[in-house]
C-alpha cells in the first residue's frame, strides 16, 4: 500500500512565526521525492507537518490542507496518532529505543497497536522487516542484543526496519544519512530505491548528489532572508531540476553557486 | 633537552593539579567523615552488647531490644514509600510532560517548597491535625477489615499510630522524589520521544516507551533518597507516634522507630551508661540498614547497564 500526498495552500507556523508559506504540490505514490534547499528554508518543517509531528512542539500549527489519497489529515476530528501510523518517519540521527533489543525495536509499532502476535508471526515480521532494511544478515544472530550496540548505519537501518514493520503508506526521511559514513549512506540509498516499489518515500537531504541518485522528483525550497518564510521555488522531475531548472535560484543552488 | 614537545602550558598544568587536588580532597573528606561516624558508633555501642558483670556478651538482650524498632522503622518507611512514590512519579510527569509550560514552573516551586518545611512542623501537623482526622478511617478499617492482622486490635483513640507516622513521612519525602524524577523526565532525549510518537504512540504510550525506560535509574535513585530520609526522620515521627510495643496492627497505638526511640531516649540516658550505649548501637543498626538500602539500589540500577541508553 502506498498513498499519494497532495499539499494545498499550506502555511506552517511556530507560534506567530510563519516558517513555510503557501506550499502547493502533488507527491506521487510509489516514487521517491526529494526536498532540497539551504538550511532554515523549511524543508524539515514541511516534512514534519506531513505526519503531524510538527505540532508536537509547543505553539506549532499548520493552516491549509494536506491530503493523503484525498483525505485531509488536518481536518478536525482526525487523530494525529492515526495519521502517524500511516505516515512513518525516519529521523536525522538514528534513534532506536535504547532499552529495547533489536527484536523489540522492530516490533515496537505492533506493541503500540496492541496487536497480539504469536511467536511465529512476530518472528516473521522481524525477519521480513529486517530483510527489507538490508540488515537481516548482519543482526540475525543477535536479535536479543540492545539496538544501541549497533553501528550508526546499522542503527539507522534498524529504524527503517521499525518504520516499515507496521506497513505505513508513506515514509518520511529527514536527512537519514547526515550522521553516517559513505558506505552506510550507500546502503541506505540502495534501500530507498527498493522501498520505492512499495511505499511513497519523501526525503529531505542536504546532499544534492543524493537527491539526484535516489529521487524521481525534486522540490527546491528557499528563503528570501533570515526571518522570512520558506517557500517552494521549483518542483519538477529530478532530471529537470538538475539539468534544466526554470528558476535562476534553483540553478544557482544545484550548481553550487549559491549565496 | 628541550623540544617543542617537552614544553607545556605551565599555567594550564598548575590549574589542572590544583583542581585535581581539590576534587581528591573533597572525596577523601566525605569518606573520612563517614568513617569517623561509623567508628564513633561502633566504639560507643560496645557496652550495649558486652557487659562484664552480666557474663560477657549480651547479644540476645540487645537483639530483643533492637528488632521491634528495626521492624517499626521499616514499616513506617515502607508505608511512606508506597504512598509517596506513585504520587511523586505522577506529579513529576504532570510537571514535565502534561502541564502547560506556564504552570509547570509554578507547580515545581510549590513542590520544592514542601521540602523546605521543617520536620517539626510536619510532626505538629501530623499530631494535631492528621492523627485526629484519621480516627474515623481507623475505626472503619477495623470494623470492615479487622480480620486482616494489619487492621486488628483496638483502633487508636488519638490517631497517633504508625500508619499516621507513615503518612506524614510520605508527605515529607514526596518533594525529594518528585524533584529527582522531574529533572530526569525533562532530560529524556527528544529523539527518543519523537521515535515513539512517529510510530503512532499516544502521549501515555510515548511515556511508557521512552520516558520511563530512560528515567528508570533516576526514579530508583529518587525513591532511595526518599527512603533514606524516611528511615532517618526523627522529629516528625517522635511527635506523631505514641510509641509502644511492637504490634502487627497499623491502626492501634504501639510500635516505634529507631530515630524516634533515640530522640526520646537520649536526653534521659546518663552519659556513659549502658542505656546510652544501647541507643548508639541502634543508631549503628540504622546506619547499616541505610547502607544496605543504598547498595541494593545501586545494584538494581547497574543490572541493566547495557540497555540504559548510555552507550
Amino acid at each position: 500500500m502506498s498513498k499519494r500526498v497532495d499539499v494545498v495552500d499550506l502555511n506552517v507556523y511556530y507560534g506567530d512565526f510563519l516558517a513555510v508559506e503557501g506550499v502547493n504540490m502533488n507527491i506521487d505514490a510509489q516514487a521517491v521525492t526529494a526536498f532540497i534547499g539551504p538550511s532554515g528554508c523549511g524543508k524539515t518543517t514541511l516534512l514534519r507537518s506531513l505526519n503531524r509531528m510538527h505540532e508536537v512542539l509547543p505553539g506549532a500549527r499548520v493552516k491549509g490542507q494536506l491530503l493523503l489519497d484525498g483525505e485531509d489529515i488536518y481536518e478536525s476530528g482526525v487523530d494525529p496518532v492515526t495519521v502517524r501510523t500511516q505516515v512513518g518517519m525516519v529521523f536525522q540521527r538514528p534513534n532506536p529505543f535504547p532499552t529495547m533489543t533489536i527484536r523489540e525495536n522492530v516490533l515496537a509499532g505492533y506493541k503500540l497497536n496492541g496487536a497480539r502476535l504469536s511467536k511465529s508471526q512476530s518472528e516473521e515480521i522481524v525477519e521480513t522487516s529486517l530483510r527489507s532494511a538490508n540488515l537481516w544478515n548482519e543482526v540475525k544472530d543477535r536479535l536479543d542484543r540492545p539496538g544501541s550496540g549497533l553501528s550508526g548505519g546499522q542503527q539507522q537501518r534498524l529504524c527503517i526496519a521499525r518504520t516499515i514493520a507496521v506497513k505505513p503508506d508513506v515514509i518520511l526521511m529527514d536527512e537519514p544519512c547526515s550522521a553516517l559514513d559513505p558506505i552506510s549512506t550507500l546502503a541506505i540509498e540502495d534501500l530507498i530505491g527498493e522501498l520505492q516499489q512499495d511505499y511513497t518515500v519523501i526525503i529531505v537531504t542536504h546532499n544534492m548528489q543524493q537527491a539526484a541518485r535516489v529521487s524521481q522528483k525534486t522540490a527546491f525550497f528557499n528563503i528570501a532572508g533570515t526571518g522570512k518564510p520558506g517557500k517552494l521555488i521549483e518542483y519538477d522531475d529530478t532530471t529537470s531540476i538538475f539539468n534544466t531548472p526554470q528558476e535562476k535560484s534553483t540553478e544557482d543552488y544545484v550548481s553550487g553557486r549559491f549565496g | 633537552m628541550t623540544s617543542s614537545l617537552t614544553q607545556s602550558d605551565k599555567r594550564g598544568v598548575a590549574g589542572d593539579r590544583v583542581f585535581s587536588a581539590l576534587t581528591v580532597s573533597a572525596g577523601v573528606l566525605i569518606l573520612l567523615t563517614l568513617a569517623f561516624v561509623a567508628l564513633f558508633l561502633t566504639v560507643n555501642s560496645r557496652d550495649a552488647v558486652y557487659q562484664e558483670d552480666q557474663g560477657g556478651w549480651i547479644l540476645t538482650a540487645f537483639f530483643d531490644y533492637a528488632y521491634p524498632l528495626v521492624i517499626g522503622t521499616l514499616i513506617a518507611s515502607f508505608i511512606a514509600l508506597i504512598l509517596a512514590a506513585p504520587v511523586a512519579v505522577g506529579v513529576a510527569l504532570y510537571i514535565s510532560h502534561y502541564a502547560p509550560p506556564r504552570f509547570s514552573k509554578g507547580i515545581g516551586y510549590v513542590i520544592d517548597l514542601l521540602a523546605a518545611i521543617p520536620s517539626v512542623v510536619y510532626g505538629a501537623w501530623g499530631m494535631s491535625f492528621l492523627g485526629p482526622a484519621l480516627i474515623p478511617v481507623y475505626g472503619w478499617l477495623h470494623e470492615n477489615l479487622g480480620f486482616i492482622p494489619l487492621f486488628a486490635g483496638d483502633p487508636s483513640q488519638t490517631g497517633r499510630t504508625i500508619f499516621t507516622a507513615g503518612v506524614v513521612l510520605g508527605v515529607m519525602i514526596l518533594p525529594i522524589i518528585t524533584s529527582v524524577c522531574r529533572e530526569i523526565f525533562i532530560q529524556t532525549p527528544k529523539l527518543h520521544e519523537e521515535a515513539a510518537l512517529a510510530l503512532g504512540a499516544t502521549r501515555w504510550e510515548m511515556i511508557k516507551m521512552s520516558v520511563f525506560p530512560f528515567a528508570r535509574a533516576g526514579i530508583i535513585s529518587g525513591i532511595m533518597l526518599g527512603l533514606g530520609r524516611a528511615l532517618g526522620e526523627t522529629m516528625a515521627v517522635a511527635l506523631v507516634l505514641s510509641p509502644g510495643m511492637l504490634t502487627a496492627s497499623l491502626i492501634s497505638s504501639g510500635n516505634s522507630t529507631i530515630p524516634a526511640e533515640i530522640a526520646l531516649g537520649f536526653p534521659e540516658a546518663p552519659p556513659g551508661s549502658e542505656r546510652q550505649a544501647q541507643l548508639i548501637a541502634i543508631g549503628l543498626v540504622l546506619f547499616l540498614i541505610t547502607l544496605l538500602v543504598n547498595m541494593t539500589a545501586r545494584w538494581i540500577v547497574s543490572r541493566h547497564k547495557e540497555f540504559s541508553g548510555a552507550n
Side-chain angles (χ1 to χ4, degrees):
Chain A
M1 270 287 279
S2 73
K3 287 184 177 173
R4 54 180 288 108
V5 179
D6 297 295
V7 185
V8 185
D9 289 328
L10 197 76
N11 291 337
V12 190
Y13 298 83
Y14 289 104
D16 293 330
F17 175 67
L18 180 58
V20 179
E21 186 180 18
V23 174
N24 282 289
M25 63 195 298
N26 308 311
I27 296 169
D28 296 334
Q30 287 186 323
V32 180
T33 303
F35 288 2
I36 60 169
S39 295
C41 69
K43 323 177 280 294
T44 297
T45 304
L46 178 64
L47 190 79
R48 287 170 62 93
S49 65
L50 299 184
N51 69 340
R52 297 193 63 168
M53 279 297 282
H54 173 65
E55 66 202 42
V56 168
L57 303 168
R61 64 206 162 84
V62 163
K63 261 188 198 159
Q65 281 185 311
L66 223 156
L67 309 173
L68 196 63
D69 259 3
E71 290 179 289
D72 188 1
I73 67 166
Y74 280 103
E75 202 162 316
S76 65
V78 172
D79 184 356
V81 171
T82 316
V83 172
R84 290 179 204 138
T85 57
Q86 294 181 20
V87 185
M89 187 163 200
V90 177
F91 293 81
Q92 209 169 39
R93 277 173 45 215
N95 55 356
F97 295 112
T99 52
M100 294 186 192
T101 64
I102 293 172
R103 187 198 313 272
E104 287 167 345
N105 260 292
V106 177
L107 294 172
Y110 280 93
K111 203 173 132 199
L112 282 177
N113 298 340
R116 289 216 154 268
L117 298 172
S118 70
K119 195 150 180 0
S120 60
Q121 274 176 314
S122 53
E123 289 302 315
E124 196 192 314
I125 291 166
V126 169
E127 181 168 348
T128 0
S129 312
L130 286 172
R131 272 193 199 282
S132 350
N134 293 337
L135 189 62
W136 174 251
N137 287 326
E138 290 156 68
V139 300
K140 63 181 175 201
D141 301 323
R142 44 174 172 159
L143 293 175
D144 290 313
R145 305 291 300 153
S148 48
L150 299 172
S151 77
Q154 291 172 326
Q155 287 190 20
Q156 192 63 298
R157 277 179 282 151
L158 175 59
C159 293
I160 293 175
R162 179 176 71 188
T163 308
I164 56 185
V166 288
K167 301 196 169 51
D169 302 312
V170 180
I171 298 178
L172 309 176
M173 295 190 171
D174 183 6
E175 297 184 50
C177 303
S178 66
L180 306 181
D181 67 280
I183 293 172
S184 306
T185 301
L186 198 66
I188 304 256
E189 284 182 10
D190 288 345
L191 176 57
I192 292 172
E194 291 165 25
L195 290 179
Q196 167 203 338
Q197 295 159 11
D198 299 310
Y199 304 97
T200 307
V201 179
I202 305 172
I203 177 172
V204 165
T205 177
H206 270 295
N207 180 332
M208 278 176 283
Q209 285 81 15
Q210 184 170 68
R213 280 195 297 266
V214 301
S215 70
Q216 284 83 52
K217 287 224 170 176
T218 297
F220 172 63
F221 294 83
N222 204 354
I223 36 171
T226 325
K228 301 261 174 53
K231 284 182 180 164
L232 175 62
I233 305 296
E234 196 171 347
Y235 175 49
D236 208 337
D237 290 339
T238 300
T239 43
S240 315
I241 292 280
F242 282 93
N243 299 321
T244 53
Q246 303 299 305
E247 298 284 332
K248 178 80 171 60
S249 61
T250 313
E251 193 186 343
D252 287 349
Y253 187 78
V254 298
S255 60
R257 269 183 285 123
F258 189 71
Chain B
M1 212 172 78
T2 52
S3 74
S4 62
L5 289 177
T6 54
Q7 293 168 350
S8 59
D9 174 6
K10 290 263 159 49
R11 272 186 54 208
V13 169
D16 213 20
R17 289 224 179 101
V18 169
F19 191 72
S20 130
L22 268 176
T23 52
V24 168
S25 45
V28 169
L29 192 71
I30 194 77
L31 284 178
L32 274 181
T33 315
L34 213 63
F36 273 120
V37 171
L39 193 73
F40 164 84
L41 291 174
T42 317
V43 168
N44 286 296
S45 54
R46 185 179 169 276
D47 283 352
V49 290
Y50 188 84
Q51 284 287 331
E52 208 66 65
D53 51 350
Q54 291 175 40
W57 293 99
I58 47 166
L59 277 174
T60 343
F62 176 70
F63 182 78
D64 286 344
Y65 166 69
Y67 88 90
L69 294 171
V70 171
I71 294 174
T73 309
L74 292 179
I75 291 176
S77 306
F78 191 66
I79 294 172
L81 267 197
I82 296 255
L83 294 175
V87 178
V89 170
V91 172
L93 259 189
Y94 176 70
I95 294 173
S96 68
H97 283 84
Y98 284 89
R102 279 180 301 150
F103 296 133
S104 65
K105 271 235 170 73
I107 299 167
Y109 286 138
V110 172
I111 297 285
D112 287 344
L113 203 65
L114 273 181
I117 299 175
S119 57
V120 65
V121 175
Y122 279 110
W125 171 72
M127 178 174 68
S128 55
F129 175 77
L130 185 67
L134 284 175
I135 294 173
V137 179
Y138 293 151
W140 185 88
L141 282 174
H142 177 66
E143 252 164 55
N144 295 285
L145 297 168
F147 56 91
I148 304 171
L150 291 180
F151 305 119
D154 288 331
S156 163
Q157 290 311 305
T158 52
R160 294 171 61 182
T161 68
I162 191 92
F163 188 84
T164 311
V167 175
V168 172
L169 285 178
V171 178
M172 292 179 70
I173 65 176
L174 186 69
I176 306 178
I177 307 181
T178 305
S179 297
V180 173
C181 290
R182 183 190 58 194
E183 289 305 317
I184 299 286
F185 290 164
I186 289 174
Q187 283 170 22
T188 312
K190 275 272 161 307
L191 213 58
H192 294 159
E193 295 185 0
E194 291 191 341
L197 289 176
L199 277 176
T202 61
R203 188 142 42 165
W204 169 234
E205 287 166 338
M206 178 269 280
I207 286 166
K208 277 193 296 185
M209 266 183 132
S210 46
V211 178
F212 282 159
F214 174 81
R216 195 173 149 274
I219 296 173
I220 295 174
S221 304
I223 291 178
M224 287 305 143
L225 268 178
L227 181 58
R229 181 163 188 202
L231 286 171
E233 178 50 44
T234 310
M235 213 49 221
V237 180
L239 282 177
V240 170
L241 196 60
S242 53
M245 293 288 114
L246 179 70
T247 155
S249 169
L250 301 178
I251 57 166
S252 31
S253 38
N255 291 327
S256 186
T257 72
I258 295 177
E261 169 79 5
I262 298 177
L264 296 173
F266 216 82
E268 283 149 34
S273 67
E274 185 192 337
R275 171 71 178 143
Q276 196 189 40
Q278 206 173 32
L279 290 171
I280 292 174
I282 50 168
L284 182 64
V285 171
L286 183 62
F287 185 80
L288 293 177
I289 294 176
T290 316
L291 202 68
L292 206 69
V293 163
N294 278 318
M295 280 164 65
T296 316
R298 295 266 160 194
W299 177 72
I300 295 174
V301 169
S302 69
R303 248 189 336 170
H304 288 283
K305 211 161 227 161
E306 230 179 356
F307 288 92
S308 71
N311 45 6

